[in-house]
Amino acid sequence: MTSENCPCLSDRRYQDCCEPFHLGEKVAATAEQLMRSRYAAFVRQHIDYLLKTLHPSKRQLDDAQTLQQTFETTQWLGLSIVGQRQNDDTAEVEFIAFYEASPIGQLHERSRFSKQQGQWFYLDGEFLPPIKLARNDNCICGSGKKFKRCHGC
């Protein structure tokens, strides 16, 4: 059992946050929970969980290979949830996932989710323009340091 903070930056321990989803002990009750747990699965390289939570209509034969390539080339730094809308069986979550690059890379997306038989699935997403990071804001990695003193060049 691990006592480290969850990669989704929820301020909770991984074992109390996203790990139960990854282990199949719990299912996400909201689209935001699924979004956070999928981000944490990218960080911790849980291919099976990412495939299982991708809507069946969106799955491709090479998904596992594509995910493995992503794991090998991307170092995720942090997650910021910008906004969300949810009803009984559909939802949108806007987020920014930051990754190591020069300058810091951003995946800014408005993701769509669908709930079927009590389980949320990721459908797809619309890419949005990156945001401007301010030097005096807290760093996106969750370190508690100012961006300029941490990941800001």
Side-chain angles (χ1 to χ4, degrees):
M1 207 175 292
T2 181
S3 63
E4 64 191 53
N5 288 337
C6 192
C8 80
L9 299 181
S10 64
D11 289 330
R12 296 172 57 204
R13 295 181 312 164
Y14 174 65
Q15 69 190 45
D16 299 326
C17 190
C18 291
E19 185 177 45
F21 301 123
H22 297 164
L23 296 176
E25 297 169 354
K26 288 174 65 176
V27 243
T30 66
E32 181 183 344
Q33 275 186 336
L34 182 63
M35 173 47 246
R36 287 182 174 281
S37 67
R38 283 180 57 83
Y39 172 81
F42 273 101
V43 172
R44 298 187 65 97
Q45 302 184 7
H46 289 296
I47 289 178
D48 291 341
Y49 182 77
L50 291 166
L51 295 175
K52 183 176 100 174
T53 57
L54 177 63
H55 193 276
S57 69
K58 302 295 183 174
R59 295 177 187 162
Q60 303 292 317
L61 290 176
D62 65 345
D63 284 342
Q65 179 182 356
T66 301
L67 287 169
Q68 187 60 46
Q69 289 171 342
T70 300
F71 295 158
E72 293 169 4
T73 60
T74 309
Q75 181 181 350
W76 297 102
L77 298 173
L79 175 69
S80 176
I81 303 295
V82 177
Q84 63 180 319
R85 290 188 308 205
Q86 180 173 318
N87 63 35
D88 291 341
D89 59 358
T90 62
E92 289 183 349
V93 178
E94 182 180 342
F95 70 92
I96 306 169
F98 299 93
Y99 57 92
E100 192 71 52
S102 184
I104 295 292
Q106 298 181 31
L107 171 60
H108 186 185
E109 181 178 300
R110 183 176 301 113
S111 297
R112 292 185 324 126
F113 297 87
S114 175
K115 189 175 187 180
Q116 296 181 338
Q117 298 175 337
Q119 182 173 344
W120 284 101
F121 292 95
Y122 171 77
L123 279 171
D124 56 26
E126 171 191 358
F127 293 115
L128 301 171
I131 63 163
K132 176 151 176 47
L133 298 171
R135 292 175 33 87
N136 287 319
D137 286 346
N138 287 334
C139 191
I140 44 81
C141 73
S143 68
K145 297 177 184 176
K146 297 287 184 196
F147 179 65
K148 66 183 175 188
R149 301 245 183 248
C150 195
H151 283 93
C153 300

